[in-house]
Amino acid sequence: MVSSRLRGRAAALLAAGAFCVSSGYVRAQDKPTSTAFGAALSITRSTGAATVAVFTSRAIPTSGRLWTEFDQGAWARVNRGLVQVVNVVIEDEPGLARTMGVLRAPVAKVYVNTAKGVAHLATISECPTTEALVARLQALQIGVEVPAKADE
């Protein structure tokens, strides 16, 4: 009963509006949203799994490569279910990018669930490589570390 109520609530949130950052907390607003991004934030709200949104641009091919390497990399695989990773292409979601304050790519934004709701934890704008992005996420204590070769 509770899970169907949560599903209904999540669907109503997605249908009613988009998410934007206001005072550091994400609230339903009449702003543009990415369906994947909105769904990820709903899951963050209901399960507590953090959301990492990576903003990329087709005009900057290295940002697309960063996303592909990150999404298919060891850190993302190890943290599936614990952390959600979502790609937002700026050209496809210009309103969302503007609302989120993203002016250039690549940029990663991290959202977590708090007692007050879903909150923006960090913006990672200096992530030229997948390794740099993973290092910043680990410094924020998002997800778990990838096991060393000897541990596998």
Side-chain angles (χ1 to χ4, degrees), residues 119-144:
H120 173 243
L121 177 66
T123 298
I124 304 170
S125 56
E126 297 299 321
C127 51
T129 66
T130 301
E131 294 78 18
L133 178 55
V134 168
R136 292 288 307 278
L137 291 169
Q138 289 175 334
L140 293 168
Q141 297 180 346
I142 300 297
V144 296

mmCIF file of all heavy atoms in Angstrom, residues 119-144:
data_model
loop_
_atom_site.group_PDB
_atom_site.id
_atom_site.type_symbol
_atom_site.label_atom_id
_atom_site.label_comp_id
_atom_site.label_asym_id
_atom_site.label_seq_id
_atom_site.Cartn_x
_atom_site.Cartn_y
_atom_site.Cartn_z
ATOM 1 N N ALA A 119 18.137 18.036 -1.677
ATOM 2 C CA ALA A 119 18.978 19.230 -1.661
ATOM 3 C C ALA A 119 20.136 19.099 -2.638
ATOM 4 O O ALA A 119 20.660 18.007 -2.851
ATOM 5 C CB ALA A 119 19.528 19.461 -0.256
ATOM 6 N N HIS A 120 20.519 20.218 -3.202
ATOM 7 C CA HIS A 120 21.697 20.284 -4.064
ATOM 8 C C HIS A 120 22.916 20.255 -3.155
ATOM 9 O O HIS A 120 23.088 21.134 -2.312
ATOM 10 C CB HIS A 120 21.647 21.575 -4.890
ATOM 11 C CG HIS A 120 22.872 21.818 -5.678
ATOM 12 N ND1 HIS A 120 23.676 22.908 -5.453
ATOM 13 C CD2 HIS A 120 23.451 21.123 -6.678
ATOM 14 C CE1 HIS A 120 24.693 22.873 -6.297
ATOM 15 N NE2 HIS A 120 24.578 21.792 -7.049
ATOM 16 N N LEU A 121 23.743 19.241 -3.283
ATOM 17 C CA LEU A 121 24.920 19.093 -2.435
ATOM 18 C C LEU A 121 26.125 19.812 -3.020
ATOM 19 O O LEU A 121 26.849 20.496 -2.308
ATOM 20 C CB LEU A 121 25.247 17.609 -2.234
ATOM 21 C CG LEU A 121 26.499 17.292 -1.414
ATOM 22 C CD1 LEU A 121 26.305 17.733 0.029
ATOM 23 C CD2 LEU A 121 26.822 15.815 -1.484
ATOM 24 N N ALA A 122 26.356 19.639 -4.325
ATOM 25 C CA ALA A 122 27.565 20.211 -4.918
ATOM 26 C C ALA A 122 27.412 20.354 -6.426
ATOM 27 O O ALA A 122 26.658 19.625 -7.057
ATOM 28 C CB ALA A 122 28.769 19.329 -4.611
ATOM 29 N N THR A 123 28.173 21.312 -6.959
ATOM 30 C CA THR A 123 28.346 21.453 -8.397
ATOM 31 C C THR A 123 29.808 21.200 -8.689
ATOM 32 O O THR A 123 30.681 21.823 -8.078
ATOM 33 C CB THR A 123 27.955 22.867 -8.869
ATOM 34 O OG1 THR A 123 26.565 23.067 -8.581
ATOM 35 C CG2 THR A 123 28.206 23.045 -10.355
ATOM 36 N N ILE A 124 30.071 20.292 -9.597
ATOM 37 C CA ILE A 124 31.443 19.943 -9.959
ATOM 38 C C ILE A 124 31.664 20.428 -11.384
ATOM 39 O O ILE A 124 31.183 19.827 -12.335
ATOM 40 C CB ILE A 124 31.688 18.424 -9.852
ATOM 41 C CG1 ILE A 124 31.344 17.927 -8.446
ATOM 42 C CG2 ILE A 124 33.122 18.077 -10.235
ATOM 43 C CD1 ILE A 124 31.313 16.423 -8.308
ATOM 44 N N SER A 125 32.373 21.550 -11.501
ATOM 45 C CA SER A 125 32.578 22.114 -12.837
ATOM 46 C C SER A 125 33.965 21.813 -13.383
ATOM 47 O O SER A 125 34.181 21.892 -14.574
ATOM 48 C CB SER A 125 32.335 23.624 -12.825
ATOM 49 O OG SER A 125 33.155 24.250 -11.876
ATOM 50 N N GLU A 126 34.876 21.471 -12.533
ATOM 51 C CA GLU A 126 36.235 21.134 -12.970
ATOM 52 C C GLU A 126 36.387 19.620 -13.002
ATOM 53 O O GLU A 126 36.914 19.018 -12.084
ATOM 54 C CB GLU A 126 37.273 21.761 -12.029
ATOM 55 C CG GLU A 126 37.248 23.274 -12.021
ATOM 56 C CD GLU A 126 37.544 23.881 -13.388
ATOM 57 O OE1 GLU A 126 38.406 23.355 -14.114
ATOM 58 O OE2 GLU A 126 36.887 24.870 -13.742
ATOM 59 N N CYS A 127 35.863 19.017 -14.062
ATOM 60 C CA CYS A 127 35.968 17.563 -14.185
ATOM 61 C C CYS A 127 36.367 17.217 -15.620
ATOM 62 O O CYS A 127 35.539 16.754 -16.401
ATOM 63 C CB CYS A 127 34.675 16.872 -13.767
ATOM 64 S SG CYS A 127 33.189 17.510 -14.555
ATOM 65 N N PRO A 128 37.628 17.448 -15.968
ATOM 66 C CA PRO A 128 38.072 17.189 -17.337
ATOM 67 C C PRO A 128 38.157 15.707 -17.682
ATOM 68 O O PRO A 128 38.129 15.348 -18.853
ATOM 69 C CB PRO A 128 39.453 17.845 -17.389
ATOM 70 C CG PRO A 128 39.929 17.818 -15.978
ATOM 71 C CD PRO A 128 38.693 17.975 -15.129
ATOM 72 N N THR A 129 38.234 14.851 -16.678
ATOM 73 C CA THR A 129 38.334 13.410 -16.916
ATOM 74 C C THR A 129 37.367 12.668 -15.988
ATOM 75 O O THR A 129 36.922 13.197 -14.969
ATOM 76 C CB THR A 129 39.757 12.877 -16.629
ATOM 77 O OG1 THR A 129 40.019 13.020 -15.219
ATOM 78 C CG2 THR A 129 40.814 13.614 -17.441
ATOM 79 N N THR A 130 37.087 11.436 -16.357
ATOM 80 C CA THR A 130 36.243 10.590 -15.512
ATOM 81 C C THR A 130 36.880 10.396 -14.144
ATOM 82 O O THR A 130 36.202 10.438 -13.124
ATOM 83 C CB THR A 130 36.024 9.222 -16.190
ATOM 84 O OG1 THR A 130 35.402 9.451 -17.449
ATOM 85 C CG2 THR A 130 35.163 8.312 -15.352
ATOM 86 N N GLU A 131 38.189 10.207 -14.129
ATOM 87 C CA GLU A 131 38.897 10.007 -12.858
ATOM 88 C C GLU A 131 38.747 11.217 -11.948
ATOM 89 O O GLU A 131 38.553 11.072 -10.738
ATOM 90 C CB GLU A 131 40.378 9.710 -13.105
ATOM 91 C CG GLU A 131 40.643 8.389 -13.808
ATOM 92 C CD GLU A 131 40.382 8.417 -15.317
ATOM 93 O OE1 GLU A 131 40.311 9.521 -15.915
ATOM 94 O OE2 GLU A 131 40.218 7.330 -15.898
ATOM 95 N N ALA A 132 38.819 12.416 -12.514
ATOM 96 C CA ALA A 132 38.658 13.639 -11.714
ATOM 97 C C ALA A 132 37.241 13.732 -11.154
ATOM 98 O O ALA A 132 37.047 14.104 -9.987
ATOM 99 C CB ALA A 132 38.985 14.870 -12.560
ATOM 100 N N LEU A 133 36.244 13.383 -11.966
ATOM 101 C CA LEU A 133 34.856 13.402 -11.504
ATOM 102 C C LEU A 133 34.643 12.393 -10.382
ATOM 103 O O LEU A 133 34.049 12.712 -9.345
ATOM 104 C CB LEU A 133 33.909 13.129 -12.675
ATOM 105 C CG LEU A 133 32.419 13.056 -12.349
ATOM 106 C CD1 LEU A 133 31.936 14.305 -11.636
ATOM 107 C CD2 LEU A 133 31.628 12.811 -13.627
ATOM 108 N N VAL A 134 35.143 11.191 -10.563
ATOM 109 C CA VAL A 134 35.006 10.152 -9.532
ATOM 110 C C VAL A 134 35.715 10.579 -8.244
ATOM 111 O O VAL A 134 35.173 10.398 -7.148
ATOM 112 C CB VAL A 134 35.541 8.793 -10.044
ATOM 113 C CG1 VAL A 134 35.690 7.784 -8.910
ATOM 114 C CG2 VAL A 134 34.621 8.247 -11.129
ATOM 115 N N ALA A 135 36.889 11.162 -8.363
ATOM 116 C CA ALA A 135 37.628 11.625 -7.174
ATOM 117 C C ALA A 135 36.822 12.676 -6.412
ATOM 118 O O ALA A 135 36.757 12.637 -5.172
ATOM 119 C CB ALA A 135 38.991 12.182 -7.577
ATOM 120 N N ARG A 136 36.183 13.588 -7.125
ATOM 121 C CA ARG A 136 35.368 14.619 -6.461
ATOM 122 C C ARG A 136 34.149 13.996 -5.784
ATOM 123 O O ARG A 136 33.786 14.379 -4.673
ATOM 124 C CB ARG A 136 34.918 15.683 -7.466
ATOM 125 C CG ARG A 136 36.024 16.555 -8.013
ATOM 126 C CD ARG A 136 36.570 17.561 -6.981
ATOM 127 N NE ARG A 136 35.576 18.389 -6.354
ATOM 128 C CZ ARG A 136 35.054 19.500 -6.864
ATOM 129 N NH1 ARG A 136 35.436 19.931 -8.042
ATOM 130 N NH2 ARG A 136 34.151 20.183 -6.193
ATOM 131 N N LEU A 137 33.508 13.026 -6.442
ATOM 132 C CA LEU A 137 32.356 12.353 -5.845
ATOM 133 C C LEU A 137 32.768 11.593 -4.590
ATOM 134 O O LEU A 137 32.059 11.607 -3.578
ATOM 135 C CB LEU A 137 31.692 11.426 -6.855
ATOM 136 C CG LEU A 137 30.980 12.129 -8.011
ATOM 137 C CD1 LEU A 137 30.589 11.122 -9.086
ATOM 138 C CD2 LEU A 137 29.771 12.909 -7.523
ATOM 139 N N GLN A 138 33.917 10.933 -4.644
ATOM 140 C CA GLN A 138 34.401 10.210 -3.465
ATOM 141 C C GLN A 138 34.756 11.173 -2.340
ATOM 142 O O GLN A 138 34.499 10.875 -1.172
ATOM 143 C CB GLN A 138 35.595 9.333 -3.835
ATOM 144 C CG GLN A 138 35.180 8.143 -4.675
ATOM 145 C CD GLN A 138 36.345 7.310 -5.165
ATOM 146 O OE1 GLN A 138 37.455 7.806 -5.313
ATOM 147 N NE2 GLN A 138 36.075 6.048 -5.463
ATOM 148 N N ALA A 139 35.286 12.341 -2.678
ATOM 149 C CA ALA A 139 35.588 13.350 -1.654
ATOM 150 C C ALA A 139 34.306 13.837 -0.978
ATOM 151 O O ALA A 139 34.314 14.186 0.202
ATOM 152 C CB ALA A 139 36.346 14.520 -2.266
ATOM 153 N N LEU A 140 33.203 13.830 -1.719
ATOM 154 C CA LEU A 140 31.897 14.207 -1.164
ATOM 155 C C LEU A 140 31.227 13.037 -0.439
ATOM 156 O O LEU A 140 30.123 13.172 0.071
ATOM 157 C CB LEU A 140 30.969 14.694 -2.286
ATOM 158 C CG LEU A 140 31.357 15.992 -2.963
ATOM 159 C CD1 LEU A 140 30.526 16.204 -4.228
ATOM 160 C CD2 LEU A 140 31.186 17.162 -2.000
ATOM 161 N N GLN A 141 31.878 11.890 -0.439
ATOM 162 C CA GLN A 141 31.362 10.657 0.156
ATOM 163 C C GLN A 141 30.068 10.200 -0.507
ATOM 164 O O GLN A 141 29.116 9.763 0.143
ATOM 165 C CB GLN A 141 31.192 10.808 1.666
ATOM 166 C CG GLN A 141 32.502 11.067 2.374
ATOM 167 C CD GLN A 141 32.353 11.210 3.863
ATOM 168 O OE1 GLN A 141 31.257 11.370 4.392
ATOM 169 N NE2 GLN A 141 33.477 11.135 4.555
ATOM 170 N N ILE A 142 30.050 10.299 -1.833
ATOM 171 C CA ILE A 142 28.920 9.821 -2.623
ATOM 172 C C ILE A 142 29.289 8.444 -3.159
ATOM 173 O O ILE A 142 30.320 8.273 -3.790
ATOM 174 C CB ILE A 142 28.616 10.780 -3.792
ATOM 175 C CG1 ILE A 142 28.273 12.168 -3.276
ATOM 176 C CG2 ILE A 142 27.504 10.226 -4.685
ATOM 177 C CD1 ILE A 142 27.018 12.236 -2.428
ATOM 178 N N GLY A 143 28.441 7.454 -2.889
ATOM 179 C CA GLY A 143 28.699 6.099 -3.365
ATOM 180 C C GLY A 143 29.783 5.409 -2.567
ATOM 181 O O GLY A 143 30.212 5.868 -1.514
ATOM 182 N N VAL A 144 30.206 4.263 -3.095
ATOM 183 C CA VAL A 144 31.274 3.492 -2.474
ATOM 184 C C VAL A 144 32.454 3.448 -3.428
ATOM 185 O O VAL A 144 32.311 3.640 -4.631
ATOM 186 C CB VAL A 144 30.815 2.047 -2.128
ATOM 187 C CG1 VAL A 144 29.705 2.065 -1.093
ATOM 188 C CG2 VAL A 144 30.373 1.300 -3.364
#
